[in-house]
Amino acid sequence: MKLFCVFGNPIKHSISPKLHNSAILGLNLNAMYFKKKIQDKDDLKKTFLEYCLSGANITVPFKEDAFKICDEIKGIANDIKAVNTIVLKDKKLIGYNTDANGFFKSINDFDIKNALILGAGGSSKAISFILKNNNINLDITNRSKEKLNFFTQHNFSTLLHEQIDTNKKYDLIINSTSAGLNDENLPIKKEILEKLFSNAKYAVDIIYNINTPFLNLAKAKNLITKDGKDMLLYQAVLAFNIFFDNQYDETTITKFMKKAFI
Ligand code: NDP
């Protein structure tokens, strides 16, 4: 039997086991996926090997640590410097980042030329590189300077909130901050957001299963909106395919994983 796991702290909230086990069951595979809270970054590799895992997902706050423990890094994870999916192949840990492509797949039907990302944390890195790789013009804004440095060093256009030009037209505004997750905060001042929304077509909040103040305001401005559920779903679909060597088509995996949301 192949074993898979998601590592994080906290991990109780994670629905990754539900998603993956739903696809494992649907495809009738001899495998199991569970969640494991770890206390320390040093436990990542140790636990992976102790449990004889075939693969793992990694969530907050260990994605950067996961990048460091891998023997080989594939694809966009090299730019983001964070890994959310690891597989064991020929005794080597191979690291991937499926958050980036998962996000892009979730906005597949959007027609966008330029975007503004609010927030400069881990998820913002994944979203920035995938949008840039797909030739979307991009500005990234954050309330404080420190986390913007990574983006400036990688030649992204970065702004503090007070530097935002509210007359600039962004097709898509993305909330990648945690504002609205456990509070009623907007990620930036309401008057700035209202002006940006009045020129925009789409708003995405990658927080899932919550009607955040950001999404509520976007809906009130008649924008096309999306929360983070599809990003979560598609990063899992892409990870599943990595776990099982691309043997199954994405549509089938998606169909089974979607059942876990019901
Ligand atoms: P990080 O902790 O790495 O970054 C958080 C960012 O949010 C920072 O830029 C921080 O700014 C900013 N921020 C936090 N609170 C506020 C606030 N009240 N107002 C303005 N800015 C704020 O988090 P992640 O990037 O890992 O995750 C961010 C969110 O994305 C979380 O809510 C998480 O649930 C969600 N997420 C969803 C995923 C999905 O699959 N749908 C995947 C990954 C994350 P500063 O630098 O100034 O502190």
Side-chain angles (χ1 to χ4, degrees), residues 120-123 142-144 147 176-178 181 187 206-208 228 232:
S123 56
N142 200 41
R143 63 179 175 182
S144 58
K147 285 202 175 86
S176 82
T177 77
S178 27
L181 182 64
I206 66 163
I207 294 172
Y208 46 89
L232 181 75

Side-chain angles (χ1 to χ4, degrees), residues 233-244:
L233 169 69
Y234 291 127
Q235 64 75 28
V237 170
L238 298 172
F240 189 92
N241 241 342
I242 292 169
F243 291 154
F244 291 97

